Amino acid sequence: MFCISPIKTQASILIVKDKPEQMEQCLRVLSALEYSVQSTNNIPMLIMLVRTKLPSLILINIDLSEIDGIEVYYYLKAERQTSKIPIVFLIT
């Protein structure tokens, strides 16, 4: 008898928030759900992380202290390498 078992792929999520307590809460919840999670609170690190390993999803705070999350969205969508990554805005 031949049996095929499903291959579980682990989605990687990149969180971009500049409020440490909210970042920690997101990390706790997503890690408990067994997602591979990376986080940063600044744009240069975001760019470095995205270039190192493309995430499956980016969660970004819309009101970052150093730049508007919407500007980051347009930047990522304009880049060929990152244009297909889904981005969800967090409003907090």
Side-chain angles (χ1 to χ4, degrees):
M1 176 179 223
F2 184 70
C3 181
I4 299 174
S5 61
I7 298 172
K8 184 179 179 182
T9 58
Q10 187 177 34
S12 61
I13 299 174
L14 175 57
I15 304 169
V16 184
K17 288 190 78 53
D18 54 359
K19 295 180 178 144
E21 63 283 350
Q22 293 173 353
M23 173 85 77
E24 190 60 40
Q25 185 179 26
C26 287
L27 287 169
R28 225 181 3 260
V29 169
L30 294 170
S31 294
L33 295 171
E34 298 184 4
Y35 287 105
S36 171
V37 183
Q38 290 185 300
S39 63
T40 184
N41 62 358
N42 66 68
I43 302 311
M45 180 62 80
L46 162 71
I47 302 304
M48 196 241 2
L49 289 171
V50 168
R51 288 183 178 161
T52 303
K53 180 185 176 199
L54 288 178
S56 306
L57 172 69
I58 297 174
L59 302 176
I60 187 166
N61 201 44
I62 202 162
D63 292 323
L64 296 169
S65 58
E66 62 185 64
I67 192 170
D68 189 311
I70 295 172
E71 290 179 51
V72 177
Y73 169 86
Y74 285 122
Y75 171 80
L76 292 170
K77 291 303 176 179
E79 295 291 313
R80 184 182 59 80
Q81 182 183 12
T82 57
S83 65
K84 302 286 188 211
I85 302 172
I87 297 173
V88 175
F89 290 113
L90 303 172
I91 304 173
T92 54

Coordinates of all heavy atoms in Angstrom, one line a residue:
M1 N 0.8 -1.2 0.0 CA 0.0 0.0 0.0 C 0.9 1.2 0.0 O 1.9 1.3 0.7 CB -0.9 0.0 1.2 CG -1.7 1.2 1.4 SD -2.8 1.1 2.8 CE -4.3 1.7 2.1
F2 N 0.5 2.2 -0.8 CA 1.3 3.4 -1.0 C 0.5 4.5 -0.3 O -0.7 4.7 -0.6 CB 1.5 3.7 -2.5 CG 2.3 4.9 -2.7 CD1 3.7 4.9 -2.4 CD2 1.8 6.1 -3.3 CE1 4.5 6.0 -2.7 CE2 2.6 7.2 -3.5 CZ 3.9 7.1 -3.2
C3 N 1.2 5.3 0.6 CA 0.5 6.4 1.3 C 1.3 7.6 1.1 O 2.6 7.6 1.3 CB 0.4 6.0 2.8 SG -0.4 7.2 3.7
I4 N 0.7 8.7 0.8 CA 1.3 10.0 0.7 C 0.9 10.8 1.9 O -0.2 11.0 2.2 CB 0.9 10.7 -0.6 CG1 1.3 9.9 -1.8 CG2 1.5 12.1 -0.7 CD1 0.8 10.4 -3.1
S5 N 1.9 11.3 2.6 CA 1.6 12.2 3.7 C 1.9 13.6 3.3 O 2.8 13.9 2.5 CB 2.5 11.9 4.9 OG 3.9 12.0 4.6
P6 N 1.0 14.5 3.8 CA 1.1 15.9 3.4 C 2.4 16.5 3.9 O 2.9 16.2 5.0 CB -0.1 16.6 4.0 CG -0.6 15.7 5.0 CD -0.1 14.3 4.7
I7 N 3.1 17.3 3.1 CA 4.3 18.0 3.6 C 3.8 19.3 4.2 O 3.2 20.2 3.6 CB 5.2 18.3 2.4 CG1 5.6 17.0 1.8 CG2 6.4 19.1 2.9 CD1 6.4 17.2 0.5
K8 N 4.2 19.5 5.5 CA 3.9 20.7 6.2 C 4.9 21.8 5.9 O 6.1 21.6 6.2 CB 3.8 20.4 7.7 CG 3.4 21.6 8.5 CD 3.3 21.3 10.0 CE 2.9 22.5 10.7 NZ 2.9 22.3 12.2
T9 N 4.5 22.8 5.3 CA 5.4 24.0 5.1 C 5.2 25.0 6.1 O 4.1 25.3 6.5 CB 5.2 24.6 3.7 OG1 3.9 25.0 3.6 CG2 5.5 23.6 2.6
Q10 N 6.3 25.5 6.6 CA 6.2 26.5 7.7 C 6.3 27.9 7.1 O 7.3 28.3 6.5 CB 7.3 26.3 8.7 CG 7.1 27.2 9.9 CD 8.2 26.9 10.9 OE1 9.3 26.5 10.6 NE2 7.9 27.0 12.2
A11 N 5.2 28.7 7.3 CA 5.2 30.1 6.8 C 6.2 30.9 7.7 O 6.2 30.7 8.9 CB 3.8 30.6 6.8
S12 N 6.9 31.8 7.0 CA 7.7 32.7 7.8 C 7.1 34.1 7.7 O 6.6 34.6 6.7 CB 9.1 32.8 7.2 OG 9.1 33.2 5.8
I13 N 7.0 34.7 8.9 CA 6.4 36.0 9.1 C 7.4 37.0 9.6 O 8.1 36.7 10.5 CB 5.2 35.9 10.0 CG1 4.1 34.9 9.4 CG2 4.5 37.3 10.2 CD1 3.0 34.6 10.3
L14 N 7.4 38.2 9.0 CA 8.3 39.3 9.4 C 7.4 40.3 10.0 O 6.5 40.8 9.4 CB 9.1 39.8 8.3 CG 10.0 41.0 8.6 CD1 10.9 40.8 9.7 CD2 10.7 41.5 7.3
I15 N 7.6 40.7 11.3 CA 6.9 41.7 12.0 C 7.7 43.0 12.1 O 8.9 42.9 12.5 CB 6.5 41.3 13.4 CG1 5.7 39.9 13.4 CG2 5.7 42.3 14.1 CD1 5.6 39.3 14.7
V16 N 7.1 44.1 11.7 CA 7.8 45.4 11.8 C 6.9 46.3 12.7 O 5.9 46.8 12.3 CB 7.9 46.1 10.4 CG1 8.8 47.3 10.6 CG2 8.6 45.1 9.5
K17 N 7.4 46.5 14.0 CA 6.7 47.3 15.0 C 7.7 48.0 15.8 O 8.8 47.5 16.0 CB 5.8 46.5 15.9 CG 4.6 45.9 15.2 CD 3.6 45.2 16.2 CE 2.8 46.2 17.0 NZ 2.0 47.2 16.4
D18 N 7.4 49.2 16.2 CA 8.4 50.0 17.0 C 8.0 50.1 18.5 O 8.6 50.8 19.2 CB 8.6 51.4 16.4 CG 7.3 52.2 16.1 OD1 6.2 51.7 16.5 OD2 7.4 53.3 15.7
K19 N 6.9 49.4 18.9 CA 6.5 49.4 20.3 C 6.8 48.0 20.8 O 6.2 47.0 20.5 CB 5.0 49.7 20.4 CG 4.7 51.1 19.9 CD 3.3 51.5 20.1 CE 3.1 52.9 19.6 NZ 1.9 53.1 18.9
P20 N 7.9 47.9 21.7 CA 8.4 46.6 22.2 C 7.3 45.7 22.8 O 7.3 44.5 22.6 CB 9.4 47.0 23.2 CG 9.8 48.4 22.9 CD 8.6 49.1 22.3
E21 N 6.4 46.3 23.6 CA 5.4 45.4 24.3 C 4.4 44.8 23.2 O 4.0 43.7 23.4 CB 4.6 46.2 25.3 CG 3.8 47.4 24.8 CD 4.6 48.7 24.5 OE1 5.8 48.8 24.8 OE2 3.9 49.6 23.9
Q22 N 4.1 45.6 22.2 CA 3.2 45.0 21.1 C 4.0 44.0 20.3 O 3.4 43.0 19.8 CB 2.7 46.1 20.3 CG 1.7 47.0 21.0 CD 1.3 48.3 20.2 OE1 1.8 48.5 19.2 NE2 0.4 49.0 20.8
M23 N 5.2 44.3 20.0 CA 6.1 43.3 19.3 C 6.1 42.0 20.0 O 6.0 40.9 19.4 CB 7.5 43.9 19.1 CG 8.4 43.0 18.5 SD 8.4 42.9 16.7 CE 9.3 44.4 16.4
E24 N 6.4 42.1 21.3 CA 6.5 40.8 22.1 C 5.2 40.0 22.1 O 5.2 38.8 22.0 CB 6.9 41.2 23.5 CG 7.2 40.0 24.4 CD 8.4 39.3 23.9 OE1 9.4 39.9 23.4 OE2 8.4 38.0 23.9
Q25 N 4.1 40.7 22.1 CA 2.8 40.0 22.1 C 2.6 39.3 20.7 O 2.2 38.2 20.7 CB 1.6 41.0 22.3 CG 0.3 40.4 22.4 CD -0.8 41.4 22.7 OE1 -0.6 42.6 22.3 NE2 -1.9 41.0 23.3
C26 N 2.9 40.0 19.6 CA 2.8 39.4 18.3 C 3.7 38.2 18.2 O 3.3 37.1 17.7 CB 3.2 40.4 17.2 SG 1.9 41.7 16.9
L27 N 4.9 38.3 18.7 CA 5.9 37.2 18.6 C 5.4 36.0 19.4 O 5.5 34.9 18.9 CB 7.3 37.7 19.2 CG 8.1 38.6 18.3 CD1 9.3 39.2 19.1 CD2 8.6 37.8 17.1
R28 N 4.9 36.3 20.6 CA 4.4 35.2 21.4 C 3.2 34.4 20.7 O 3.3 33.2 20.7 CB 3.9 35.8 22.8 CG 4.3 35.0 24.0 CD 3.8 35.5 25.3 NE 2.9 36.7 25.3 CZ 3.3 37.9 25.5 NH1 4.6 38.2 25.8 NH2 2.4 38.9 25.6
V29 N 2.3 35.1 20.2 CA 1.1 34.5 19.6 C 1.5 33.7 18.3 O 1.2 32.5 18.2 CB 0.0 35.5 19.2 CG1 -1.0 35.0 18.3 CG2 -0.6 36.1 20.5
L30 N 2.3 34.3 17.5 CA 2.7 33.6 16.2 C 3.7 32.5 16.4 O 3.6 31.4 15.8 CB 3.3 34.6 15.2 CG 2.3 35.7 14.7 CD1 3.0 36.8 14.0 CD2 1.2 35.0 13.9
S31 N 4.5 32.6 17.4 CA 5.5 31.5 17.7 C 4.7 30.3 18.3 O 5.0 29.2 18.0 CB 6.5 32.0 18.7 OG 7.4 32.9 18.1
A32 N 3.7 30.6 19.1 CA 2.9 29.5 19.7 C 2.1 28.8 18.6 O 1.8 27.6 18.8 CB 1.9 30.1 20.7
L33 N 1.8 29.4 17.5 CA 1.2 28.8 16.4 C 2.2 28.1 15.4 O 1.8 27.7 14.4 CB 0.3 29.8 15.6 CG -0.9 30.4 16.4 CD1 -1.5 31.6 15.6 CD2 -1.9 29.3 16.6
E34 N 3.4 28.1 15.9 CA 4.5 27.4 15.2 C 4.9 28.1 13.8 O 5.4 27.4 12.9 CB 4.2 26.0 15.0 CG 4.1 25.3 16.3 CD 3.9 23.8 16.2 OE1 4.0 23.2 15.1 OE2 3.8 23.1 17.2
Y35 N 4.7 29.4 13.7 CA 5.2 30.1 12.5 C 6.7 30.4 12.8 O 7.1 30.7 13.9 CB 4.4 31.4 12.3 CG 3.1 31.2 11.8 CD1 2.0 31.3 12.6 CD2 2.9 30.8 10.4 CE1 0.7 31.1 12.1 CE2 1.6 30.6 9.9 CZ 0.5 30.8 10.8 OH -0.7 30.5 10.3
S36 N 7.4 30.5 11.8 CA 8.8 31.0 11.8 C 8.7 32.5 11.8 O 8.2 33.1 10.8 CB 9.6 30.5 10.6 OG 10.8 31.2 10.6
V37 N 9.1 33.2 12.9 CA 8.9 34.6 13.0 C 10.2 35.4 13.2 O 11.0 35.0 14.0 CB 7.9 34.9 14.2 CG1 7.6 36.4 14.4 CG2 6.7 34.1 14.2
Q38 N 10.3 36.5 12.5 CA 11.4 37.4 12.7 C 10.8 38.8 12.9 O 9.6 39.0 12.5 CB 12.3 37.5 11.4 CG 13.1 36.3 11.1 CD 14.0 36.5 10.0 OE1 13.6 36.8 8.9 NE2 15.3 36.4 10.2
S39 N 11.5 39.6 13.6 CA 11.0 40.9 13.9 C 12.0 42.0 13.9 O 13.2 41.7 14.0 CB 10.3 40.9 15.3 OG 11.3 40.6 16.3
T40 N 11.6 43.2 13.6 CA 12.5 44.3 13.7 C 11.7 45.6 14.0 O 10.4 45.6 13.9 CB 13.2 44.5 12.3 OG1 14.1 45.6 12.5 CG2 12.3 44.8 11.2
N41 N 12.4 46.6 14.5 CA 11.7 47.9 14.8 C 12.2 49.0 13.9 O 11.9 50.1 14.1 CB 11.8 48.2 16.2 CG 13.3 48.4 16.7 OD1 14.2 48.3 15.9 ND2 13.5 48.7 17.9
N42 N 13.0 48.7 12.9 CA 13.6 49.7 12.0 C 13.6 49.3 10.6 O 13.7 48.1 10.3 CB 14.9 50.2 12.5 CG 16.0 49.2 12.5 OD1 16.4 48.8 11.4 ND2 16.5 48.7 13.6
I43 N 13.6 50.2 9.7 CA 13.6 50.0 8.3 C 14.9 49.4 7.7 O 14.8 48.5 6.9 CB 13.1 51.3 7.5 CG1 11.8 51.8 8.0 CG2 13.1 51.0 6.0 CD1 10.7 50.7 8.1
P44 N 16.0 49.9 8.1 CA 17.3 49.3 7.5 C 17.3 47.8 7.8 O 17.7 47.0 7.0 CB 18.4 50.1 8.2 CG 17.8 51.4 8.5 CD 16.4 51.1 8.9
M45 N 16.9 47.4 9.0 CA 16.9 46.0 9.4 C 15.9 45.2 8.6 O 16.1 44.1 8.2 CB 16.7 45.8 10.9 CG 16.7 44.4 11.3 SD 18.3 43.5 11.1 CE 19.2 44.1 12.5
L46 N 14.7 45.8 8.4 CA 13.7 45.2 7.6 C 14.2 44.9 6.2 O 14.1 43.8 5.7 CB 12.5 46.2 7.4 CG 11.5 45.9 6.3 CD1 10.7 44.6 6.5 CD2 10.6 47.0 6.1
I47 N 14.9 45.8 5.6 CA 15.5 45.6 4.2 C 16.5 44.5 4.2 O 16.5 43.6 3.4 CB 16.1 46.9 3.7 CG1 15.1 48.1 3.6 CG2 16.7 46.7 2.3 CD1 13.8 47.8 2.9
M48 N 17.3 44.5 5.2 CA 18.3 43.4 5.4 C 17.7 42.1 5.5 O 18.1 41.1 4.9 CB 19.3 43.7 6.5 CG 20.6 42.9 6.4 SD 21.0 41.7 7.7 CE 19.8 41.7 8.9
L49 N 16.7 42.0 6.4 CA 16.0 40.7 6.6 C 15.3 40.2 5.4 O 15.4 39.0 5.1 CB 15.0 40.8 7.8 CG 15.6 41.0 9.2 CD1 14.5 41.3 10.2 CD2 16.3 39.7 9.6
V50 N 14.7 41.1 4.7 CA 13.9 40.7 3.5 C 14.9 40.2 2.4 O 14.6 39.3 1.7 CB 13.1 41.9 3.0 CG1 12.5 41.6 1.6 CG2 11.9 42.1 3.9
R51 N 16.0 40.9 2.3 CA 17.0 40.5 1.3 C 17.7 39.1 1.7 O 18.2 38.4 0.8 CB 18.1 41.5 1.1 CG 17.5 42.7 0.4 CD 18.5 43.8 0.1 NE 17.9 44.9 -0.6 CZ 18.4 46.1 -0.7 NH1 19.5 46.4 -0.1 NH2 17.8 47.0 -1.4
T52 N 17.8 38.8 3.0 CA 18.4 37.6 3.4 C 17.5 36.4 3.2 O 17.9 35.4 2.7 CB 18.7 37.7 4.9 OG1 19.6 38.8 5.1 CG2 19.4 36.5 5.4
K53 N 16.2 36.5 3.6 CA 15.3 35.4 3.4 C 13.9 36.1 3.2 O 13.4 36.8 4.1 CB 15.3 34.6 4.6 CG 14.3 33.4 4.5 CD 14.2 32.6 5.8 CE 13.1 31.6 5.6 NZ 12.7 31.0 6.9
L54 N 13.3 35.8 2.1 CA 12.0 36.3 1.8 C 10.9 35.7 2.7 O 10.8 34.5 2.8 CB 11.6 36.1 0.3 CG 12.3 36.9 -0.8 CD1 11.8 36.4 -2.1 CD2 12.1 38.3 -0.6
P55 N 10.2 36.6 3.4 CA 9.2 36.0 4.3 C 7.9 35.7 3.5 O 7.7 36.2 2.4 CB 8.9 37.2 5.3 CG 9.3 38.4 4.5 CD 10.4 38.0 3.6
S56 N 7.1 34.9 4.0 CA 5.8 34.5 3.4 C 4.8 35.7 3.6 O 3.9 35.9 2.8 CB 5.2 33.3 4.0 OG 6.1 32.2 4.0
L57 N 5.0 36.5 4.6 CA 4.0 37.5 5.0 C 4.8 38.6 5.8 O 5.7 38.3 6.6 CB 2.9 37.0 5.8 CG 1.9 37.9 6.5 CD1 1.0 38.6 5.4 CD2 1.0 37.2 7.4
I58 N 4.4 39.9 5.6 CA 5.0 40.9 6.4 C 3.8 41.6 7.1 O 2.8 42.0 6.5 CB 5.7 42.0 5.6 CG1 6.9 41.3 4.9 CG2 6.2 43.2 6.4 CD1 7.7 42.2 3.9
L59 N 4.0 41.7 8.4 CA 3.0 42.5 9.3 C 3.7 43.8 9.7 O 4.8 43.7 10.3 CB 2.7 41.7 10.5 CG 2.0 40.3 10.3 CD1 1.8 39.7 11.7 CD2 0.7 40.4 9.6
I60 N 3.2 44.9 9.3 CA 3.9 46.2 9.5 C 3.0 47.2 10.2 O 1.8 47.4 9.8 CB 4.5 46.7 8.2 CG1 5.4 47.9 8.5 CG2 3.4 47.0 7.2 CD1 6.2 48.3 7.4
N61 N 3.5 47.8 11.2 CA 2.7 48.9 11.9 C 2.6 50.1 10.9 O 3.6 50.5 10.3 CB 3.4 49.3 13.1 CG 2.5 50.0 14.1 OD1 1.4 49.5 14.3 ND2 3.0 51.0 14.7
I62 N 1.4 50.6 10.8 CA 1.2 51.7 9.8 C 1.8 53.0 10.3 O 2.2 53.8 9.5 CB -0.3 51.8 9.5 CG1 -0.5 52.6 8.2 CG2 -1.0 52.5 10.6 CD1 -1.9 52.4 7.6
D63 N 1.9 53.2 11.6 CA 2.5 54.4 12.1 C 3.9 54.1 12.8 O 3.9 53.9 14.0 CB 1.6 55.0 13.2 CG 0.3 55.6 12.5 OD1 0.4 56.1 11.4 OD2 -0.7 55.5 13.1
L64 N 4.9 54.0 12.0 CA 6.2 53.8 12.6 C 6.8 55.1 13.0 O 6.5 56.1 12.3 CB 7.1 53.0 11.6 CG 6.7 51.6 11.2 CD1 7.5 51.2 10.0 CD2 6.8 50.7 12.4
S65 N 7.7 55.1 13.9 CA 8.2 56.4 14.4 C 9.2 57.1 13.4 O 9.2 58.3 13.2 CB 9.0 56.2 15.7 OG 10.0 55.3 15.6
E66 N 9.9 56.3 12.6 CA 10.9 56.9 11.7 C 10.4 57.0 10.2 O 10.9 57.8 9.4 CB 12.2 56.1 11.6 CG 12.0 54.6 11.2 CD 13.3 53.8 11.3 OE1 13.8 53.6 12.4 OE2 13.8 53.4 10.2
I67 N 9.3 56.3 9.9 CA 8.8 56.3 8.5 C 7.3 55.8 8.5 O 7.0 55.0 9.4 CB 9.6 55.5 7.5 CG1 9.3 55.8 6.1 CG2 9.6 54.0 7.8 CD1 10.2 55.2 5.1
D68 N 6.5 56.2 7.6 CA 5.2 55.8 7.5 C 5.2 54.3 6.9 O 5.9 54.1 5.9 CB 4.4 56.7 6.6 CG 2.9 56.5 6.5 OD1 2.5 55.3 6.3 OD2 2.2 57.4 6.7
G69 N 4.4 53.4 7.5 CA 4.3 52.1 7.0 C 3.8 52.0 5.5 O 4.2 51.1 4.8
I70 N 3.0 53.0 5.1 CA 2.6 53.0 3.7 C 3.7 53.2 2.7 O 3.8 52.6 1.7 CB 1.4 54.0 3.5 CG1 0.2 53.5 4.3 CG2 1.1 54.1 2.1 CD1 -0.9 54.5 4.4
E71 N 4.7 54.1 3.2 CA 5.9 54.3 2.3 C 6.7 53.0 2.2 O 7.2 52.7 1.1 CB 6.7 55.4 3.0 CG 6.1 56.8 2.9 CD 7.0 57.8 3.5 OE1 8.2 57.9 3.2 OE2 6.5 58.6 4.4
V72 N 6.8 52.3 3.3 CA 7.5 51.0 3.2 C 6.8 50.0 2.3 O 7.4 49.3 1.5 CB 7.6 50.4 4.6 CG1 8.3 49.0 4.6 CG2 8.4 51.3 5.6
Y73 N 5.5 50.0 2.3 CA 4.7 49.2 1.4 C 5.0 49.5 0.0 O 5.3 48.6 -0.8 CB 3.2 49.4 1.7 CG 2.3 48.8 0.7 CD1 1.9 47.5 0.8 CD2 1.8 49.6 -0.4 CE1 1.0 46.9 -0.2 CE2 1.0 49.0 -1.4 CZ 0.6 47.7 -1.2 OH -0.2 47.1 -2.2
Y74 N 5.0 50.8 -0.4 CA 5.3 51.2 -1.8 C 6.7 50.8 -2.2 O 6.9 50.4 -3.3 CB 5.0 52.6 -2.0 CG 3.5 53.0 -2.1 CD1 2.9 53.9 -1.2 CD2 2.7 52.3 -3.0 CE1 1.6 54.1 -1.3 CE2 1.4 52.6 -3.1 CZ 0.8 53.5 -2.2 OH -0.5 53.8 -2.3
Y75 N 7.6 50.9 -1.3 CA 9.0 50.6 -1.6 C 9.1 49.1 -1.8 O 9.7 48.6 -2.8 CB 9.9 50.9 -0.4 CG 11.3 50.4 -0.5 CD1 12.2 51.0 -1.4 CD2 11.7 49.2 0.1 CE1 13.5 50.5 -1.5 CE2 12.9 48.7 -0.1 CZ 13.8 49.3 -0.9 OH 15.1 48.8 -1.1
L76 N 8.5 48.2 -1.0 CA 8.6 46.8 -1.1 C 7.8 46.3 -2.4 O 8.3 45.4 -3.1 CB 8.0 46.1 0.1 CG 8.8 46.2 1.4 CD1 8.0 45.7 2.6 CD2 10.2 45.6 1.2
K77 N 6.7 47.0 -2.7 CA 6.0 46.6 -3.9 C 6.7 47.0 -5.2 O 6.5 46.4 -6.3 CB 4.6 47.1 -3.9 CG 3.7 46.5 -2.8 CD 3.6 45.0 -3.0 CE 2.8 44.3 -1.9 NZ 2.7 42.9 -2.1
A78 N 7.5 48.0 -5.1 CA 8.3 48.5 -6.3 C 9.5 47.6 -6.6 O 10.0 47.6 -7.7 CB 8.7 49.9 -6.1
E79 N 10.0 46.9 -5.6 CA 11.1 46.0 -5.8 C 10.7 44.7 -6.4 O 9.8 44.0 -5.9 CB 11.8 45.8 -4.5 CG 12.5 47.0 -3.9 CD 13.6 47.5 -4.6 OE1 14.5 46.7 -5.0 OE2 13.7 48.7 -4.9
R80 N 11.4 44.2 -7.4 CA 11.0 43.0 -8.1 C 11.0 41.8 -7.1 O 10.1 41.0 -7.1 CB 12.0 42.7 -9.2 CG 11.6 41.5 -10.0 CD 12.6 41.2 -11.2 NE 14.0 41.0 -10.7 CZ 14.5 39.9 -10.2 NH1 13.7 38.8 -10.1 NH2 15.7 39.8 -9.8
Q81 N 12.0 41.7 -6.3 CA 12.2 40.6 -5.3 C 11.1 40.5 -4.3 O 10.7 39.4 -3.9 CB 13.6 40.7 -4.7 CG 13.9 39.6 -3.7 CD 15.2 39.8 -3.0 OE1 15.8 40.8 -3.0 NE2 15.7 38.7 -2.4
T82 N 10.6 41.7 -3.9 CA 9.6 41.7 -2.7 C 8.2 42.0 -3.2 O 7.3 42.1 -2.3 CB 10.1 42.7 -1.7 OG1 10.2 44.0 -2.3 CG2 11.4 42.2 -1.0
S83 N 8.0 42.2 -4.4 CA 6.7 42.7 -4.9 C 5.5 41.8 -4.6 O 4.4 42.2 -4.5 CB 6.7 43.1 -6.4 OG 7.0 42.0 -7.2
K84 N 5.8 40.5 -4.5 CA 4.7 39.5 -4.4 C 4.4 39.1 -2.9 O 3.5 38.4 -2.6 CB 5.1 38.2 -5.1 CG 5.3 38.4 -6.6 CD 4.0 38.7 -7.3 CE 4.3 38.7 -8.8 NZ 3.4 39.5 -9.6
I85 N 5.2 39.7 -2.0 CA 5.0 39.3 -0.6 C 3.7 40.0 -0.1 O 3.6 41.3 -0.2 CB 6.2 39.8 0.3 CG1 7.5 39.1 -0.2 CG2 6.0 39.4 1.8 CD1 8.7 39.6 0.5
P86 N 2.8 39.3 0.5 CA 1.6 40.0 1.1 C 2.0 40.8 2.3 O 2.9 40.4 3.1 CB 0.7 38.8 1.5 CG 1.3 37.6 0.9 CD 2.7 37.9 0.6
I87 N 1.4 42.0 2.4 CA 1.7 42.9 3.5 C 0.4 43.2 4.2 O -0.6 43.6 3.6 CB 2.4 44.2 3.0 CG1 3.7 43.8 2.4 CG2 2.6 45.2 4.1 CD1 4.4 45.0 1.7
V88 N 0.4 43.1 5.5 CA -0.8 43.4 6.3 C -0.4 44.5 7.3 O 0.6 44.5 8.0 CB -1.3 42.2 7.2 CG1 -2.4 42.6 8.1 CG2 -1.7 41.0 6.2
F89 N -1.2 45.6 7.2 CA -0.9 46.7 8.1 C -1.5 46.5 9.5 O -2.7 46.0 9.6 CB -1.6 48.0 7.5 CG -0.8 48.5 6.3 CD1 -1.4 48.5 5.1 CD2 0.5 49.0 6.4 CE1 -0.8 49.0 4.0 CE2 1.1 49.5 5.3 CZ 0.5 49.4 4.1
L90 N -0.8 46.8 10.5 CA -1.2 46.8 11.9 C -1.5 48.2 12.4 O -0.7 49.1 12.2 CB -0.2 46.1 12.8 CG 0.3 44.7 12.4 CD1 1.5 44.3 13.2 CD2 -0.9 43.7 12.5
I91 N -2.7 48.4 12.9 CA -3.0 49.7 13.4 C -3.1 49.7 14.9 O -4.1 49.3 15.5 CB -4.4 50.2 12.7 CG1 -4.3 50.1 11.2 CG2 -4.7 51.6 13.2 CD1 -5.5 50.4 10.5
T92 N -2.1 50.2 15.5 CA -2.0 50.2 17.0 C -1.1 51.3 17.5 O -0.2 51.7 16.8 CB -1.6 48.9 17.6 OG1 -0.3 48.6 17.1 CG2 -2.5 47.8 17.4

